[in-house]
Amino acid sequence: MTDAQRQLAEKLTAARKVVALSGAGLSAESGVPTFRGDGGLWRNHRPADLATPEAFATDPQLVWEFYNWRREKVLSVEPNPAHHALTELERSLPAFCHITQNVDALAHRAGGENIIELHGNLMTTLCSACREAQPHAPVIVPFPTYCEHCGALVRPGVVWFGESVTQFEPALAAMNECDVLLVIGTSAVVQPAASLATIARRQGAFAAEFNLEATPLTDRIDLFIAGPAGRTLPPVVQAAFA
Ligand code: OAD
């Protein structure tokens, strides 16, 4: 354990309300590709071609194939020790909220409960016209699939660039109330997730960041814990609540 990990463990032991804000780095050790690092999805694909309402309007099948490929990937992997550590943290604290930009639902599969999925959920679909959620099992959905209510094309239940995140108000409330914030595996360049972290910090929360490398947030947090979250987070949670 480093001094930084020990210091954070003490803060967590004394904390009442803790928020974790996560990004693709949380799932990297499960084998889910990140977006901007080496091998990242946006290194080989343009977001504008695959992750916007305009892309879906232009070539829905291409967009659908991209998301089915991601669904297959996520269905073939398992939560990693960082996801499990967050579940343990949730069970040990009076109040805990996990705000994630990830759409892979791995935190749910690890047993996490109070999770805000800012960017939606890869395993869900909704109508591209009436926005009605479509009932189906979390599996690969064939293209084209049409809305059970209005007959329009069904789309992935994720938030695309240019769209509003889901559950922003509860995420904001959690940031305004927490006394410890953990920022885990996000490059902190996509809004509004990045500014949510600043809000917690500004209202006086103690903030710790887990990442392989510095981000635009690093200068504004209290502790930076370098390394893969699957290895750096579990010992902190264990030390806080053993
Ligand atoms: P990024 O790919 O932008 O950033 C991943 C971050 O995780 C980087 O800062 C890495 O250094 C870090 N990282 C990688 N492996 C790690 C590990 N094992 N432990 C800790 N940190 C690790 O992913 P996000 O920040 O999640 O949105 O990206 C935000 C949003 O941009 C995504 O939700 C997605 C994307 O475009 C949409 O598709 C709308």
Side-chain angles (χ1 to χ4, degrees), residues 23-25 29 34-36 42 101 119 159 161 185-187 190 211 228-229:
E29 288 157 82
T34 62
F35 294 93
R36 296 175 180 79
W42 300 152
Q101 298 164 91
H119 291 170
V159 173
F161 289 98
T186 177
S187 57
V190 173
N211 205 306

Side-chain angles (χ1 to χ4, degrees), residues 7-105:
Q7 196 185 335
L8 176 58
E10 282 168 17
K11 292 282 180 192
L12 288 174
T13 308
R16 288 190 55 257
K17 293 187 176 179
V18 174
V19 168
L21 173 69
S22 69
L26 174 65
S27 298
E29 288 157 82
S30 293
V32 181
T34 62
F35 294 93
R36 296 175 180 79
D38 285 344
L41 292 178
W42 300 152
R43 290 283 178 103
N44 300 312
H45 308 278
R46 281 177 2 116
D49 294 340
L50 297 168
T52 61
E54 294 76 20
F56 189 71
T58 307
D59 193 344
Q61 185 159 5
L62 177 74
V63 172
W64 198 260
E65 280 165 7
F66 174 64
Y67 282 92
N68 262 352
W69 172 78
R70 288 179 62 192
R71 284 190 190 109
E72 261 170 42
K73 184 88 209 159
V74 162
L75 287 168
S76 72
V77 303
E78 297 296 329
N80 69 57
H83 295 108
H84 290 297
L86 288 176
T87 304
E88 199 182 325
L89 192 57
E90 178 166 18
R91 291 178 181 161
S92 308
L93 284 161
F96 174 80
C97 177
H98 179 185
I99 302 169
T100 188
Q101 298 164 91
N102 297 345
V103 294
D104 57 32

